[in-house]
Amino acid sequence: MKRLPLITPHPPRLSKLAEGLARIEEAGIYSNNGPVLRAFEASATEQLFGGKGACLAVANATLGLMIALRDAVSDGPAGRFALMPALTFAATAQAAWWAGLTPLVCDIDADNWSAAANEEEELLERHGAQIAAIVPYATFGYGIDLDRYRWLSNRYGVAVVVDAAASLGTTDAAGLGFGAGAPFPVVFSMHATKPFATQEGGLIHCADPDRIERLRAMANFGFTAPRTATLPGLNAKLPEAMALVAQARLEDFDAVSRHREQLARSYRSAVAGRYVTQARRPGQQALGFFPLLLPSERTHERDAIIARLGEEGIGAGKYFSPHLGEQPWIRSIGHIEQTPVADMVGGRLLSLPLSDTMTPDDVHHVVATLDRVVARRSRPIAVSAPPVAETMIIGGGPAGTAMLTAASRHGLLPELSRGLVIVERDGAIGGGQLGRYAITSDSTAQTFLSAIENNPDGAIASLVDHPAALAVARHRASLGVPLAEVGPLLRAVGERLHAGVTAQGGTVLTNTEALGARRKDGLWHVRLRDGATHNDSERVARNLVIATGGHQPLDRLVTQEVAGVPLMEIAGNRLLQSDSVLARGGFEMVADLLSQKRSPLVAVIGGSTSALTTVALLLRERPALPFGAGGITLLHRRPLRPFYHSVDAAHAEGFTDFGPSDICPVSGFVYRLAGFRLEARELVLRMLGIDGRTPEPRVALHRVAGDEDAAARDILAGADLVIAALGYRPRALPLEDADGRPLSIAAHSGAPMVDDACRVRDAAGAPVPGLYGIGLAAGFVPHGRLGGESSFVGQANGLWLWQNDVGMMIVDQLLAGRTRAAA
């Protein structure tokens, strides 16, 4: 039986290049842009790109991407985004990070599997100047539209560097090589596994010869004069021996490309109508293997299908699965958008062999074997239902993992993990949606770091030296931490918690959505959906913890009244919610909406931290909005109170607007729960003129007096933009009783979801057996030994609370319940 490996490297043989190697030895030039390399670059420019522009050969494509990206953003600030699609090789994100950029990962097009155009443009609109570069990927050699990227570059003032690693050999209908004449660098790979196979190497093409020469200097330590670095640089030079191999490949590449194209046509013909393949464009597509999508109902068997093909002598793989957004390190340093198409495509991709030594008959054999393997259903195996879990946590974001962190801080994570199931919609636990916000936290850097410092779990404690922890630590003296930098730390902690839970027999189900839960026979029967296969299943647990976070529901705006008038009626299409303003790109959205106003007027409704944070964002972001005196009005019902660490500290600043009921009996803090902290506190102190502070002239305060407050109505009617910061409601998890009837809980009527023990309350206020809640909008209010002022009205949220007393309150009840059950 002829074996057909997935990848068969077939570069020119060095043993047949003895004459050329001898000339290199005779010349004594082995590197440093020698004559063989220069000759290859000239030949490649002529043969592959129709003589347009120029080429630079480098040691490998990853180094090529690194210097091209570094050059593209050399005049801008570090730490900005590099926008790239999810379905690409890890090197795309790695190169961006090494160039000082943060990967911003977007979804893909369902047909061509490259970056989705609408996603790219939406992110460019949202993030604006925060995006320094677009790094489109020519997926599997697909000839993406470079004219469109030229337009995007001009439209948004953003650099473009194309990752075309697998695309040497891709041509247009006229036979011109992909990237020919592009005004930005297009980076190709010449690795042994690529269609243009050498042993190792990369090629950068660009229409601008000056750009190529600058990159050449960067690839040679940044030297533009003898031994003098004037540019950022590294050593990315291609040795003469590898240039010789590349020249030999160039000489027979037309024949190699025609043969591989013939094999690709054979594949497309053989699989037509039975498997989804990548969209086609006029011309020739370089392919290192042949990718297709398995039928969706067989996705969960992909590994078994690959194994069965291997038993038949046929190599197969699953490039690129996991995609960028699913890889732990990239998640820890990047910003991952929602990627449902990439999740689906990545979950179904199957790569089949396509090599220089194969024949069309081999292709038909591969496809016939695949058909037989896919048609053969897995042998039914009697699988018992999963055992009843002790606890299931729905939601692995900051709140759900905070409970695990609380357990780890008390050495109880191993005990809690036994019989634990965590369900998370995202590809990893820990980060949630925090990273999508463009604001600073209302918690200090020390709050975030306290979860890992001196943690009894060594794996978590060792994170103190993690880059994400060091980034947060830099803000110890600041008013909060940018949430974009908090997200990577929480994801890193989540990764360690994931490992710790599974090591003790627990289960972490990522890319899984909880559809609902039914209370039956004293147990929770939870319906789950696998995000990759869309298969539904059921898991049973004794206890359920809802940690699904909060949101600002649109239907709340429909019924909301301010000063006795329906908010939608008075604000109309001028109304936004604070959550969209505080998200990345929110300020740019506001700036665009107000761009025609010479002295805009904005009304912010609410007295919460999100309201004050919204005001602070509008004041400090750049470029500044042209607010005049009173350009922003904050409409609030309750007095605005600053937090103080002690009565003495408050009195030292002349603040006396508090009484005994406003002081926490445990900590002595003034307005421990109701008081604003950090950035919001500073703004409140200014607006109240505390300790001689000068009020911010661009902000006016208006305390809404009731339904007859005509002045409040006038402010709303005259505002160019109205921003509602009315708090958050818990995300609903549909609950049913044993007969399938909806189980009504207190949160449905707007009341707090949980009681003083974090137990979810039913509509009558009684705790629902075995059901707990934690996180944003749960409605928990600290009490007793947890402290807090008796005058406080509302709910208390905060990562520190969740990772300490609140989290342990639930953990203690769960473990005590186990003890009772065992007894």
Side-chain angles (χ1 to χ4, degrees):
M1 177 178 64
K2 180 179 180 181
R3 299 196 64 82
L4 297 170
L6 174 59
I7 302 291
T8 306
H10 196 67
R13 294 180 179 274
L14 272 173
S15 57
K16 295 184 178 181
L17 302 175
E19 186 177 336
L21 289 171
R23 286 197 297 270
I24 292 173
E25 292 175 346
E26 184 178 351
I29 300 174
Y30 298 94
S31 184
N32 293 346
N33 299 297
V36 179
L37 178 133
R38 291 286 195 163
F40 164 67
E41 292 173 344
S43 298
T45 301
E46 188 62 36
Q47 182 172 325
L48 299 176
F49 304 106
K52 297 176 180 290
C55 289
L56 167 66
V58 289
N60 59 63
T62 304
L63 288 171
L65 284 171
M66 288 165 58
I67 60 173
L69 281 166
R70 186 66 185 87
D71 174 66
V73 299
S74 58
D75 295 329
R80 294 180 300 169
F81 289 128
L83 174 58
M84 61 189 64
L87 199 69
T88 181
F89 189 49
T92 314
Q94 296 274 13
W97 186 82
W98 279 106
L101 300 171
T102 298
L104 172 60
V105 178
C106 73
D107 208 1
I108 62 170
D109 183 90
D111 294 324
N112 63 42
W113 307 342
S114 299
N118 62 320
E119 297 281 342
E120 288 179 315
E121 292 174 34
E122 191 275 329
L123 289 168
L124 286 164
E125 289 288 347
R126 188 199 308 171
H127 295 290
Q130 293 179 342
I131 296 179
I134 313 175
V135 193
Y137 177 61
T139 312
F140 305 139
Y142 182 84
I144 57 178
D145 185 357
L146 297 186
D147 286 337
R148 176 176 165 273
Y149 285 102
R150 186 199 311 256
W151 176 81
L152 289 176
S153 179
N154 293 332
R155 167 68 176 80
Y156 293 98
V158 64
V160 174
V161 174
V162 180
D163 185 344
S167 300
L168 271 180
T170 294
T171 66
D172 62 15
L176 192 61
F178 173 73
F184 31 69
V186 182
V187 184
F188 303 89
S189 174
M190 302 188 297
H191 188 266
T193 59
K194 295 295 188 289
F196 194 99
T198 61
Q199 294 179 21
E200 182 63 277
L203 189 70
I204 306 175
H205 174 74
C206 183
D208 182 359
D210 291 338
R211 172 77 66 89
I212 290 293
E213 289 310 306
R214 189 164 65 248
L215 294 176
R216 187 184 304 280
M218 292 177 69
N220 186 30
F221 308 103
F223 291 165
T224 57
R227 316 297 293 179
T228 303
T230 61
L231 295 170
L234 43 72
N235 186 3
K237 300 186 298 294
L238 186 73
E240 287 284 87
M242 286 301 97
L244 182 67
V245 176
Q247 182 65 49
R249 170 52 77 210
L250 190 60
E251 291 169 2
D252 67 0
F253 192 52
D254 283 345
V256 169
S257 296
R258 287 193 300 271
H259 176 69
R260 297 178 80 95
E261 178 63 18
Q262 180 188 19
L263 297 178
R265 286 198 299 269
S266 297
Y267 263 120
R268 294 187 187 99
S269 174
V271 304
R274 299 193 310 288
Y275 303 95
V276 174
T277 59
Q278 192 176 18
R280 291 277 291 139
R281 290 198 71 177
Q284 179 175 283
Q285 181 174 348
L287 287 170
F289 46 78
F290 190 83
L292 53 76
L293 301 188
L294 286 171
S296 59
E297 67 274 12
R298 306 307 302 279
T299 304
H300 63 289
E301 295 185 66
R302 179 172 61 177
D303 288 344
I305 289 170
I306 291 173
R308 292 189 198 117
L309 288 172
E311 293 168 1
E312 300 268 0
I314 296 170
K318 46 187 181 182
Y319 294 91
F320 296 106
S321 178
H323 63 65
L324 285 188
E326 297 169 328
Q327 299 192 29
W329 183 80
I330 294 165
R331 294 186 61 82
S332 75
I333 57 94
H335 179 82
I336 316 298
E337 291 291 313
Q338 295 297 312
T339 56
V341 179
D343 296 347
M344 180 275 293
V345 172
R348 293 172 57 189
L349 267 172
L350 185 72
S351 310
L352 298 174
L354 191 159
S355 70
D356 296 353
T357 55
M358 284 177 61
T359 68
D361 287 343
D362 292 331
V363 169
H364 289 288
H365 169 61
V366 170
V367 175
T369 306
L370 175 65
D371 286 341
R372 187 171 70 252
V373 167
V374 169
R376 187 198 324 162
R377 291 284 177 178
S378 298
R379 181 182 302 173
I381 301 174
V383 179
S384 58
V388 174
E390 286 293 334
T391 301
M392 182 180 294
I393 301 175
I394 307 297
T401 52
M403 201 178 90
L404 305 180
T405 301
S408 75
R409 289 165 63 89
H410 290 79
L412 295 174
L413 184 60
E415 185 179 354
L416 179 66
S417 298
R418 290 189 281 275
L420 178 66
V421 176
I422 303 169
V423 178
E424 169 57 34
R425 290 187 305 175
D426 207 346
I429 65 172
Q433 297 297 308
L434 276 186
R436 67 181 285 264
Y437 292 101
I439 57 175
T440 56
S441 67
D442 59 353
S443 300
T444 64
Q446 187 54 40
T447 295
F448 297 110
L449 296 172
S450 65
I452 59 177
E453 291 176 342
N454 301 314
N455 193 300
D457 187 315
I460 296 176
S462 66
L463 286 172
V464 293
D465 295 321
H466 190 282
L470 297 176
V472 170
R474 288 197 295 267
H475 297 278
R476 287 186 189 271
S478 304
L479 294 177
V481 185
L483 289 181
E485 297 188 30
V486 172
L489 175 59
L490 295 183
R491 287 194 289 271
V493 173
E495 184 181 347
R496 302 294 170 89
L497 290 169
H498 185 148
V501 167
T502 55
Q504 296 296 329
T507 301
V508 179
L509 301 174
T510 54
N511 291 313
T512 302
E513 182 176 6
L515 304 178
R518 176 179 293 186
R519 181 73 174 171
K520 182 179 178 182
D521 301 326
L523 300 172
W524 289 103
H525 297 252
V526 185
R527 299 186 302 281
L528 304 175
R529 175 164 295 165
D530 186 297
T533 66
H534 302 287
N535 290 335
D536 292 351
S537 62
E538 183 178 276
R539 291 262 187 158
V540 182
R542 299 187 193 281
N543 301 290
L544 202 60
V545 180
I546 298 176
T548 48
H551 68 138
Q552 293 182 334
L554 289 173
D555 57 3
R556 179 178 182 178
L557 297 182
V558 176
T559 59
Q560 184 69 42
E561 290 191 355
V562 178
V565 179
L567 182 57
M568 293 289 289
E569 178 182 309
I570 197 168
N573 60 8
R574 296 173 291 120
L575 182 62
L576 296 176
Q577 297 216 73
S578 60
D579 196 67
S580 63
V581 175
L582 298 176
R584 287 182 173 176
F587 176 80
E588 289 78 9
M589 174 182 64
V590 170
D592 185 59
L593 292 172
L594 299 177
S595 61
Q596 303 303 313
K597 306 294 181 181
R598 296 185 60 183
S599 185
L601 297 175
V602 174
V604 179
I605 308 170
S608 64
T609 295
S610 60
L612 270 294
T613 303
T614 298
V615 174
L617 177 76
L618 297 180
L619 291 175
R620 65 171 161 76
E621 284 297 291
R622 295 291 182 268
L625 297 174
F627 290 119
I632 303 173
T633 301
L634 178 69
L635 296 96
H636 59 102
R637 288 194 174 93
R638 298 193 186 108
L640 303 178
R641 305 300 194 194
F643 164 83
Y644 280 97
H645 280 97
S646 68
V647 171
D648 289 343
H651 286 166
E653 289 201 341
F655 182 73
T656 58
D657 190 11
F658 59 91
S661 63
D662 303 317
I663 303 169
C664 171
V666 174
S667 64
F669 295 165
V670 178
Y671 292 121
R672 175 182 175 183
L673 302 179
F676 291 102
R677 301 184 182 225
L678 302 176
E679 185 178 42
R681 177 179 183 271
E682 289 302 309
L683 182 58
V684 168
L685 291 173
R686 288 192 65 187
M687 297 314 302
L688 298 180
I690 302 298
D691 199 27
R693 290 175 173 86
T694 302
E696 165 58 62
R698 293 171 293 174
V699 180
L701 301 180
H702 182 88
R703 188 173 177 188
V704 180
D707 290 349
E708 304 304 320
D709 192 336
R713 293 195 293 270
D714 289 342
I715 291 169
L716 294 173
D720 299 306
L721 201 62
V722 177
I723 301 174
L726 301 173
Y728 290 81
R729 296 283 176 84
R731 294 187 186 277
L733 175 70
L735 301 172
E736 299 173 349
D737 64 16
D739 298 321
R741 295 184 297 252
L743 184 62
S744 182
I745 61 174
H748 293 160
S749 62
M753 183 172 74
V754 302
D755 64 8
D756 59 3
C758 291
R759 299 172 298 185
V760 174
R761 306 184 306 151
D762 65 18
V768 179
L771 187 61
Y772 302 87
I774 186 173
L776 185 64
F780 177 78
V781 179
H783 59 90
R785 65 178 181 81
L786 275 64
E789 64 271 25
S790 61
S791 64
F792 178 69
V793 176
Q795 59 177 305
N797 293 303
L799 192 64
W800 190 90
L801 273 174
W802 303 339
Q803 290 178 340
N804 289 274
D805 295 327
V806 176
M808 279 308 300
M809 181 180 293
I810 300 177
V811 171
D812 286 340
Q813 292 176 85
L814 295 173
L815 297 183
R818 261 185 224 187
T819 302
R820 287 194 298 272

